[in-house]
Amino acid sequence: MSLSCPTCIGNEPGLLVEPRGDWAVARPCPHCTAVCKICGGERTSIQTDERGYQFLVDCVCQRKIDAAERFNVARIPARYAHCTLRAFDAKGGNQRAALQKVHHHLEGYHPCAKGILLSGDVGVGKTHLMVA
């Protein structure tokens, strides 16, 4: 995956999200994930821990495939296909604070942790942030 891939610009690196019919659909980027340079298409790689033990883990490319599948299961409406945290335009009010809260939540995210709830007036970006 390349952060400079022209296809992935504005999206999560290595993933494309596009409207298809009623839904936003994610798929691995064909340009930067075609043949993984780490695993050569095996979808796994060998890592060594601090004790010198080697073990098999999912390669980064497999994680992108899994992320696309999870995204697609969420059934996000097509009109939100463009929503990423990078694309969120925090113009003022509480929008910058809300964006920071979302970033903070994601940095410390754990599946058993409490979720996040955004509230506010219509049109201030709550859905964009939650979909992103």
Side-chain angles (χ1 to χ4, degrees):
M1 277 167 300
S2 169
L3 295 176
S4 61
C5 175
T7 307
C8 296
I9 297 296
N11 290 296
E12 175 70 22
L15 279 182
L16 294 178
V17 178
E18 304 165 321
R20 190 175 304 150
D22 292 338
W23 309 109
V25 177
R27 63 185 172 93
C29 175
H31 294 98
C32 63
T33 61
V35 177
C36 180
K37 294 176 179 135
I38 298 169
C39 70
E42 294 292 322
R43 297 188 180 173
T44 57
S45 62
I46 297 173
Q47 286 189 357
T48 305
D49 69 10
E50 62 278 351
R51 297 173 296 177
Y53 291 111
Q54 291 186 330
F55 52 98
L56 204 58
V57 295
D58 285 341
C59 185
V60 175
C61 67
Q62 180 61 40
R63 289 186 213 133
K64 291 299 176 182
I65 292 168
D66 295 344
E69 289 173 3
R70 285 191 306 274
F71 183 93
N72 294 336
V73 167
R75 310 248 324 175
I76 294 170
R79 69 179 181 210
Y80 300 115
H82 72 284
C83 294
T84 65
L85 291 178
R86 280 182 243 153
F88 185 71
D89 185 17
K91 293 182 177 162
N94 291 332
Q95 289 180 331
R96 285 187 192 93
L99 179 60
Q100 287 177 341
K101 287 276 189 188
V102 169
H103 275 294
H104 180 72
H105 177 75
L106 292 173
E107 288 168 3
Y109 178 76
H110 183 275
C112 296
K114 292 182 180 180
I116 187 170
L117 174 69
L118 301 177
S119 64
D121 293 335
V122 173
V124 296
K126 300 177 302 291
T127 302
H128 184 124
L129 288 172
M130 296 308 287
V131 168

